[in-house]
Amino acid sequence: MISSSWGAPAAFTKGFNLQHVSDGLYGQHLHVYSWPNGELKQTLDLGSTGLLPLEIRFLHDPSKDTGFVGCALTSNMVRFFKTPDGSWSHELAISVKPLKVQNWILPEMPGLITDFLISLDDRFLYFSNWLHGDVRQYNIEDPKNPVLKGQVWVGGLIQKGSPVVAEGEDGKTRQYDVPEIQGHRLRGGPQMIQLSLDGKRLYVTNSLFSTWDRQFYPELVEKGSHMLQIDVDTEKGGLAINPNYFVDFASEPDGPSLAHEMRYPGGDCTSDIWI
């Protein structure tokens, strides 16, 4: 079993504070345990490339001793793997560059990778950038060399109409086109994702943690979450927002509600449990 070390509840429950990173209240390690007796066998230091490691996913093929961890603050996807001597090692697999921005709390904005998953056939890896606002698809048939195959913008802090703008290398400012779905402007940023077993439908919600939602996307707390469907090209790769699918949690009986995790009753790509 491998676990990540996101951060201390005393820090993240109060909202994100960059000083807490310097204070050591957020992690940068993976911990390898023998199972089922729970003995700690090894600790991997991800260093400056692996700040705030969150979700961990192994490849589904049980013969492959490798997987990935999404590191939120540095917005890197790190691959971990077993070496010939039986120990574990890691390497940087995918990096999302921070954007230089105007009218935000910091001069640079990380993508903030908050969730990712791997398709059941181990061909594609998907992840969400909660602050930038995009969902990505990578081909990982060669886990050492992921290839970007699809990307869609479904919210974020730098969508058109936002006060925040990104600065390009050419010095020009830009924002991203985010479509309305069934007349609804998309709120917040993409967060939790779930993939159908056939790999053709990717579902996206947008609440991370209510305290962080309130800090970065106050409108999300006021108006509630929504769930979207992204259609997946499982042959050549590619993503497209389904314009006919929009689940609005604004009008829940005790709402507005914040939508987070999703599960298929018969099992899904992240639980590996089928009934």
Side-chain angles (χ1 to χ4, degrees):
M1 183 184 80
I2 297 182
S3 69
S4 63
S5 53
W6 175 28
F12 67 73
T13 55
K14 299 175 183 177
F16 181 71
N17 184 335
L18 194 59
Q19 182 61 43
H20 289 162
V21 180
S22 302
D23 293 342
L25 296 179
Y26 285 96
Q28 59 182 56
H29 297 86
L30 298 183
H31 303 287
V32 183
Y33 296 86
S34 63
W35 198 251
N37 62 352
E39 178 186 357
L40 178 63
K41 305 295 287 187
Q42 188 179 349
T43 295
L44 302 178
D45 187 346
L46 304 179
S48 59
T49 63
L51 298 179
L52 278 67
L54 288 175
E55 307 287 350
I56 286 178
R57 313 288 186 205
F58 278 88
L59 294 182
H60 295 88
D61 184 344
S63 69
K64 304 283 182 65
D65 291 328
T66 189
F68 295 84
V69 57
C71 304
L73 186 57
T74 43
S75 299
N76 291 324
M77 195 63 61
V78 173
R79 186 177 77 92
F80 56 84
F81 52 92
K82 185 177 281 189
T83 63
D85 66 6
S87 64
W88 292 81
S89 187
H90 65 90
E91 64 181 9
L92 180 63
I94 302 168
S95 183
V96 177
K97 292 183 179 180
L99 296 175
K100 292 183 179 180
V101 292
Q102 300 175 7
N103 308 321
W104 199 55
I105 56 176
L106 296 172
E108 290 190 339
M109 180 190 295
L112 209 74
I113 297 174
T114 52
D115 193 25
F116 82 100
L117 55 77
I118 297 171
S119 61
L120 278 180
D121 58 9
D122 289 338
R123 290 185 60 224
F124 295 109
L125 180 150
Y126 303 84
F127 67 75
S128 57
N129 284 308
W130 192 57
L131 294 182
H132 286 181
D134 59 316
V135 175
R136 300 189 183 191
Q137 176 198 42
Y138 285 81
N139 183 297
I140 56 167
E141 290 177 284
D142 178 0
K144 297 180 182 179
N145 298 290
V147 178
L148 181 63
K149 288 294 185 179
Q151 183 179 27
V152 288
W153 297 87
V154 293
L157 288 169
I158 47 178
Q159 61 177 295
K160 287 186 176 179
S162 166
V164 182
V165 294
E167 299 178 12
E169 294 181 358
D170 56 3
K172 296 182 179 179
T173 61
R174 68 179 188 276
Q175 293 180 312
Y176 296 102
D177 286 313
V178 175
E180 289 190 351
I181 306 297
Q182 295 186 348
H184 297 276
R185 180 178 180 274
L186 300 187
R187 306 181 287 272
Q191 210 285 96
M192 299 304 288
I193 56 177
Q194 189 55 264
L195 186 66
S196 61
L197 296 180
D198 63 6
K200 296 182 178 181
R201 300 179 308 283
L202 184 70
Y203 296 92
V204 185
T205 55
N206 51 359
S207 172
L208 173 58
F209 184 70
S210 60
T211 308
W212 289 44
D213 295 346
R214 189 173 293 107
Q215 180 179 1
F216 293 103
Y217 292 112
E219 183 185 38
L220 191 61
V221 178
E222 297 168 4
K223 297 184 178 181
S225 286
H226 49 63
M227 180 166 64
L228 308 175
Q229 178 183 314
I230 296 174
D231 296 326
V232 179
D233 184 336
T234 58
E235 298 299 324
K236 298 179 180 179
L239 302 175
I241 302 171
N242 187 325
N244 300 313
Y245 187 99
F246 186 87
V247 179
D248 194 353
F249 293 89
S251 57
E252 289 294 304
D254 297 317
S257 298
L258 296 174
H260 185 79
E261 189 65 273
M262 293 163 286
R263 284 283 178 258
Y264 275 83
D268 48 60
C269 291
T270 54
S271 64
D272 286 1
I273 296 172
W274 296 279
I275 56 175

